[in-house]
Amino acid sequence: MSAQGGRTLGLVLYSGSAASALAVRLAEQAGADHLRLVHFRSPFFLGEEEVAVRAQHLFPGLRFQSVTLKRDFLGLSQRSQGLPFPCGVCRRLLLERVARLVRRVHADLVVTGDIVGRAGLGVGDLVELDRSAGLAGRVLRPLSGRLLPPTRWEEEGKLDRGVLLDWVDGEQLAGRMDELAREQGIDPRRSARDCLLTDDGFVKRLLEFGPAEGCTENTIQLLRFRHSYRLGPEAHVVVAVTAEEQARLQPLFLPSDVRLYVQMAHSPLALVRARWHAHDPDERAWIVAAAAERMVEAAGLPQATAWVVRFRCEWEGETRQMRLPVERRPVPALISS
């Protein structure tokens, strides 16, 4: 018996997506009579400020709890063994953390919007995730519930298994989900929540940079730029070409970064980050010059005999410049302005 006076207390892993909202509706219709929405905040999710507002609109009678997992998510790229990355690893992290909350509040059930086949996770994978998190027989996935082993409460007749769906991820799923969402009073357009981990380019950059640099929220914001490059094992350059990109990049400079731009109107802007103290003057010059080449290339600047690239170390007040030949071979000398 649960701690809720005989009622079944269910914790919903609520992301704000249409899938998680539908999971709530179906779980209620199946007989889950006491649900609590739990939203785990992550630096990879965008638009999180809207999640609570929409939840209160859709489910005014349900308690909404927001918990930060930023530190756990910042180490996500180092947890990729054995499961599809990133979504499979994310699922494991969420289940592990909600399992702690289950024990703390004496909950009976966990409800999720997972769908069989999504993120490469089949029936066996989902069952194993539940077992490894200590939640075997306690996770209800209403959108694919008829394809999965019944939970303990279905076996005891406390939940109506006939309400559950048998969805498998595929090309037709989006249309079916939108249709059911509208039937249930859920606007699928407003239920969308962007996740950076659905962007293949971002994920590739995360795996390349994250473990080596020690991922931070600042790093994550830098990796959102498509012109984000590694220079050797320890240096990183980010190029902002458009005015919108430059406005996003400006607040991300740290005191130890180098700022690069070209002496021309509408110049691109580059941020160069390295462990400068670990390099001798020639190596520092190489990093700056290599970053300047990346910047000129990323911006698609027209052919010229040489570009005058200006740069300033954020910890210095002096701006310097170098001449960057279009087809440079040796590292150029650094010139104080």
Side-chain angles (χ1 to χ4, degrees):
M1 181 176 293
S2 84
Q4 303 297 317
R7 294 186 298 175
T8 301
L9 172 58
L11 300 183
V12 181
L13 281 172
Y14 188 78
S15 68
S17 68
S20 63
L22 279 172
V24 177
R25 287 275 195 257
L26 292 172
E28 289 178 325
Q29 292 166 16
D33 54 7
H34 192 77
L35 297 178
R36 179 186 303 179
L37 309 183
V38 180
H39 175 67
F40 287 123
R41 296 193 303 277
S42 161
F44 298 116
F45 298 157
L46 306 177
E48 285 194 299
E49 62 280 355
E50 298 293 326
V51 174
V53 174
R54 292 173 185 166
Q56 291 167 2
H57 172 73
L58 285 172
F59 311 108
L62 301 186
R63 177 179 171 183
F64 180 90
Q65 180 177 1
S66 182
V67 181
T68 183
L69 287 188
K70 289 187 177 181
R71 181 175 298 179
D72 301 78
F73 271 106
L74 289 173
L76 196 69
S77 60
Q78 301 177 46
R79 296 168 53 102
S80 59
Q81 297 85 355
L83 283 171
F85 187 86
C87 295
V89 179
C90 180
R91 299 284 196 287
R92 178 171 61 189
L93 171 60
L94 294 175
L95 284 173
E96 289 173 353
R97 290 307 301 267
V98 80
R100 299 183 195 179
L101 192 57
V102 164
R103 293 189 290 270
R104 187 181 311 151
V105 302
H106 305 290
D108 305 289
L109 192 68
V110 173
V111 179
T112 87
D114 290 338
I115 296 172
V116 168
R118 179 161 288 179
L121 298 175
V123 170
D125 300 309
L126 295 173
V127 170
E128 176 58 24
L129 280 175
D130 298 346
R131 186 203 62 78
S132 63
L135 294 172
R138 303 177 74 176
V139 181
L140 177 68
R141 297 178 171 88
L143 301 180
S144 295
R146 276 192 272 166
L147 301 177
L148 294 159
T151 61
R152 186 185 315 167
W153 286 267
E154 291 169 75
E155 293 177 334
E156 294 176 1
K158 296 179 181 178
L159 294 175
D160 182 1
R161 189 172 173 84
V163 172
L164 309 183
L165 305 180
D166 58 357
W167 284 358
V168 177
D169 194 35
E171 293 181 2
Q172 306 301 319
L173 182 62
R176 296 173 68 187
M177 185 178 298
D178 286 355
E179 181 180 357
L180 182 59
R182 292 189 178 93
E183 290 176 4
Q184 296 290 332
I186 300 166
D187 185 345
R189 297 169 299 176
R190 296 195 64 198
S191 299
R193 182 218 49 191
D194 293 329
C195 177
L196 294 174
L197 296 174
T198 62
D199 180 338
D200 292 340
F202 176 86
V203 170
K204 181 179 178 181
R205 294 189 292 271
L206 176 68
L207 291 173
E208 180 182 0
F209 286 92
E213 291 195 354
C215 201
T216 66
E217 288 191 63
N218 183 281
T219 306
I220 288 173
Q221 294 306 312
L222 292 180
L223 296 180
R224 293 181 63 189
F225 290 85
R226 63 190 182 97
H227 296 300
S228 187
Y229 311 104
R230 180 174 290 287
L231 301 174
E234 297 178 340
H236 183 186
V237 58
V238 179
V239 181
V241 178
T242 66
E244 182 273 335
E245 288 179 336
Q246 293 181 26
R248 285 171 44 213
L249 184 61
Q250 290 282 4
L252 299 177
F253 279 85
L254 299 179
S256 57
D257 293 334
V258 168
R259 180 184 301 263
L260 283 178
Y261 58 96
V262 181
Q263 199 168 11
M264 62 175 289
H266 309 295
S267 166
L269 173 67
L271 177 154
V272 191
R273 182 168 296 174
R275 296 175 63 244
W276 301 107
H277 65 278
H279 299 284
D280 62 34
D282 287 342
E283 291 171 334
R284 293 174 195 164
W286 181 89
I287 291 171
V288 173
E293 285 190 326
R294 286 286 195 176
M295 179 180 68
V296 169
E297 178 184 357
L301 296 183
Q303 293 291 315
T305 303
W307 286 106
V308 175
V309 178
R310 300 180 67 82
F311 63 98
R312 185 179 79 242
C313 304
E314 293 295 290
W315 67 91
E316 297 177 351
E318 181 184 21
T319 298
R320 290 176 279 173
Q321 67 184 35
M322 68 171 64
R323 286 192 174 275
L324 183 70
V326 173
E327 296 184 356
R328 182 183 62 79
R329 291 294 182 267
V331 175
L334 302 186
I335 310 168
S336 295
S337 60

